[in-house]
Amino acid sequence: ALPAATPTMRRVAEYRRYLECVRGLAPATITSHAATVAAFLESLGYDARPHRLREVRDADLEAFLTAAGRRVSRDVLKHTLGEVRAYLRFLAVLGAVPAAFDVHVDSPRVWRGERVPRARDPSVVQRHAA
């Protein structure tokens, strides 16, 4: 027999249906959003205390995003933040979090050319080869 669905599993399934049926997102995108939402709910201890979602605070978001930022690059973190922001908007429509709570999530700044280049610029290579 399959284990009973946890509160997190039910919330994630509800969000997956919304992303598929209402937003029409691709399966891979839905999977990414679902994983982020599951991690966010886990960080709140949602299964043990489902009421935590109604009480979510800026500090909870900060803690989740800080932990995520230790594991991934700013580019990836930017996507994670977008996924959290989209989920908070969804929850606001349901009345599960205050309206406009998603504005508390600010994206990291990512600048073009900030990372170490993967290859030398072709003009530099040609100059030194001549």
Side-chain angles (χ1 to χ4, degrees):
L2 293 174
T6 65
T8 295
M9 290 167 71
R10 287 191 296 274
R11 277 283 181 181
V12 171
E14 172 186 43
Y15 190 52
R16 288 181 76 94
R17 283 189 300 276
Y18 164 78
L19 293 174
E20 180 181 0
C21 298
V22 177
R23 299 271 317 274
L25 299 182
T29 303
I30 292 170
T31 298
S32 177
H33 278 257
T36 297
V37 167
F40 175 62
L41 292 173
E42 182 180 318
S43 78
L44 295 176
Y46 183 74
D47 284 343
R49 301 175 322 207
H51 66 279
R52 279 285 286 127
L53 200 50
R54 289 189 307 272
E55 302 167 353
V56 70
R57 301 284 178 258
D58 290 346
D60 300 315
L61 291 170
E62 185 72 27
F64 172 71
L65 297 170
T66 298
R70 288 188 195 112
R71 295 186 313 271
V72 298
S73 69
R74 279 193 305 198
D75 261 350
V76 173
L77 184 60
K78 188 174 179 179
H79 290 285
T80 301
L81 289 164
E83 291 170 354
V84 169
R85 192 179 296 119
Y87 185 61
L88 291 172
R89 277 191 224 112
F90 169 75
L91 291 175
V93 168
L94 297 179
V97 298
F101 192 72
D102 63 289
V103 300
H104 296 258
V105 181
D106 192 23
S107 292
R109 304 300 175 246
V110 179
W111 292 273
R112 184 179 305 138
E114 74 178 56
R115 292 190 291 187
V116 175
R118 291 184 178 197
R120 291 192 164 240
D121 184 271
S123 63
V124 172
V125 173
Q126 289 173 346
R127 243 182 299 147
H128 290 287

